[in-house]
């Protein structure tokens, strides 16, 4: 390894690696048309509180502020430039992690680079969902500041760490559990056998920064929007769990731990192949080493083949589900490796601290989201490089008795890294599927300029954009239904009250309240909004009344104000009020 590090090629690569890590997250910024999450978030950034449900505005306040700032930058009204600007947050995550692990932890650059590429590749969530990536960024900053504060005994770093974690509450309100990182302060105190008063003092500095940040941001929001409005918005966040049960704390925790438990099935099958190799290496001391190694490699390869044939992993990359099981198994491996390192007496104290915080990050990342462990898989920027380095050290141990575990670890990591690379190269959010070719563009819509997508979507959007342009509907308010909230951003039509009213978290009572307010505005002379629906919703409503209560409310509203169908194609239908 030392000979490699001293080579001129390696030194040149060390300059190139950070550049690649900064650019790699931007590889798909010109690809894919998502009719839901991506454009929905960009519409919220552009149009803000006036056209957004208050509970989401306040519960993800700083994400919306940051997103709105991006829309004010050059090209911020287009999908291409917004993908570029939000993609830089992933670049920062990889770059900061790379610098820390190579400079402070002194892990060789090549291991960190490979690990960061894998972590970036596993970022399935669109970068438009800024409350995810800003959360990860501030969580990473908090972890690194706690590490520096404890290892260098600089209390100002602990205060700054508290500020980062306290600020994260206003990036996404469900980031409250991140306060649990204070456990690292106590764990490190136990490892270093610190005086209890010193540990309490360090905890106090963390909490000082945390509480201070909370009060500063809460004070600012209260002065600008009113404290009552903020409280009502957050209360609405808790109330939504009546309809969106997957947002309940119990559901989130159950989803997270049930996935770990479910994946123990695959882990137990790997052990079935691992144990015979271990028996050969331990019980048969007189057997030649090369024969033992060959047997262990055979069982390891057989295990991976068995996993593939039983659909543990897929190499089609049509959805995030293709990498889910291997991602969860890697999380289990991460926790095992980190826990083992913590319990190893020879490990340095600062390394134990980092290992413990990687475990905390892996657990905390999934809390506050209804995506189960996918959010933890989306945030492996510290975990992958660290695990690669630890397993490299493990594989260098000459003890033949460990060879079976070494072979199985190498085989699984090879499978995991190959899957990660394939997923990162091929997967494009909302455009993945069999026989989908992303080579078409919409030429008559400025927001979508330079974006490649599937031919069907390009045809639908081009027809819709042409009609909106011909009718001069740009700037008109719109009601969208059928999981097409992104049209608000793409067509530059602000939502009348909420872009994505299909969401379970947006209850029927919320829609009724919003429509009552809209009717008041109409009575005061405000122009009636345009209504755009997904055609698939209308297939059964021609002969039977819609069973969807929200859709029924929209139809009742259109009937009351005399709306007529003015445009339709294979995917969208537009209704406008008769003048």
């Amino acid at each position: 390894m030392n000979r490699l590090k001293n080579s001129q090629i390696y030194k040149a690569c060390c300059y190139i690696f950070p550049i690649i890590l900064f650019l790699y997250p931007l590889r798909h910024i010109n690809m894919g048309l998502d009719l839901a999450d991506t454009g929905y978030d960009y519409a919220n950034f552009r149009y803000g509180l006036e056209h957004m449900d208050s509970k989401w505005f306040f519960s993800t306040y700083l994400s919306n502020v940051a997103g709105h700032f991006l829309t004010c930058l050059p090209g911020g009204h287009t999908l291409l430039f917004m993908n570029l600007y939000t993609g830089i947050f992933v670049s920062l995550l990889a770059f900061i992690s790379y610098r820390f692990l190579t400079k402070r932890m002194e892990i060789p650059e090549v291991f960190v680079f490979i690990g960061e590429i894998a972590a970036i590749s596993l970022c399935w969530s669109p970068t438009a969902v800024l409350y995810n990536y800003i959360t990860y960024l501030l969580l990473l900053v908090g972890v690194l500041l706690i590490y520096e504060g404890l290892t260098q005994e600089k209390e100002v770093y602990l205060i700054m760490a508290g500020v980062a974690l306290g600020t994260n509450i206003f990036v996404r309100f469900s980031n409250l559990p991140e306060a649990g990182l204070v456990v690292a302060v106590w764990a490190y105190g136990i490892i270093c056998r610190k005086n209890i008063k010193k540990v309490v003092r360090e905890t106090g500095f963390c909490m000082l920064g945390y509480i201070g940040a909370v009060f500063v941001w809460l004070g600012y929001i209260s002065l600008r929007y009113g404290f009552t409005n903020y409280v009502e918005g957050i209360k609405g966040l808790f109330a939504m769990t009546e309809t969106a049960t997957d947002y309940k704390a119990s559901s989130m925790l159950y989803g997270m731990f049930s996935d770990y438990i479910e994946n123990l099935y695959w882990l137990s099958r790997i052990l079935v192949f691992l144990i015979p190799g271990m028996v050969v290496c331990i019980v048969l001391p007189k057997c030649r080493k090369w024969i033992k190694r060959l047997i262990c490699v055979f069982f390891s390869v057989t295990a991976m083949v068995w996993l593939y044939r039983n659909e543990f992993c897929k190499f089609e990359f049509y959805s995030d589900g293709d990498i889910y099981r291997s991602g969860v198994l890697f999380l289990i491996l991460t926790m095992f490796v980190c826990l083992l390192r913590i319990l190893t007496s020879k490990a340095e104290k600062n390394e134990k601290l980092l290992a413990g915080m990687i475990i905390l990050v892996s657990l905390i990342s999934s809390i506050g989201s209804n995506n189960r462990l996918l959010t933890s898989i989306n945030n492996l920027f510290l975990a992958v490089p660290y695990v690669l380095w630890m397993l490299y050290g493990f594989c260098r141990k000459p003890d033949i008795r460990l060879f079976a575990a070494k072979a199985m670890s190498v085989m699984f990591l090879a499978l995991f890294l190959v899957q990660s690379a394939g997923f990162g190269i091929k997967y494009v959010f909302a455009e993945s599927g069999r026989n989908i070719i992303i080579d078409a563009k919409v030429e008559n819509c400025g927001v979508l300029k330079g974006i490649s997508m599937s031919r069907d979507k390009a045809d639908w959007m081009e027809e819709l954009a042409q009609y909106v342009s011909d009718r001069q509907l740009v700037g008109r308010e719109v009601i969208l239904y059928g999981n097409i909230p992104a049209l608000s951003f793409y067509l530059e039509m602000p939502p009348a009250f909420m872009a994505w009213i299909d969401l379970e978290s947006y209850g029927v009572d919320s829609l009724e309240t919003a429509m009552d307010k809209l009717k008041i505005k109409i009575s005061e002379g405000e122009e009636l909004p345009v209504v755009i629906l997904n055609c698939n919703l209308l297939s059964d409503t021609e002969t039977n009344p819609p069973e969807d209560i929200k859709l029924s409310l929209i139809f009742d509203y259109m009937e009351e104000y005399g709306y007529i169908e003015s445009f339709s194609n294979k995917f969208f239908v537009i209704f406008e009020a008769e003048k």
Side-chain angles (χ1 to χ4, degrees), residues 274-289:
L274 175 62
I275 291 172
M278 294 177 65
V279 170
V280 169
C281 291
I282 297 171
V283 179
L284 302 176
K286 294 183 179 181
C287 186
R288 293 182 179 274
K289 286 185 178 181

Side-chain angles (χ1 to χ4, degrees), residues 56 93 108 124 126 158 222 240 265 284 286 521 544 561:
W56 289 122
L93 278 161
W124 59 272
L158 297 177
S222 299
M240 76 177 188
Y265 167 85
L284 302 176
K286 294 183 179 181
K521 292 179 180 179
N544 301 306
Y561 287 94

Side-chain angles (χ1 to χ4, degrees), residues 29 42 74-86 451:
I29 61 171
Y42 291 159
H77 67 289
T78 68
L79 180 59
L80 178 63
F81 274 83
M82 285 300 291
N83 286 344
L84 169 64
Y85 296 143
T86 56
I451 299 294

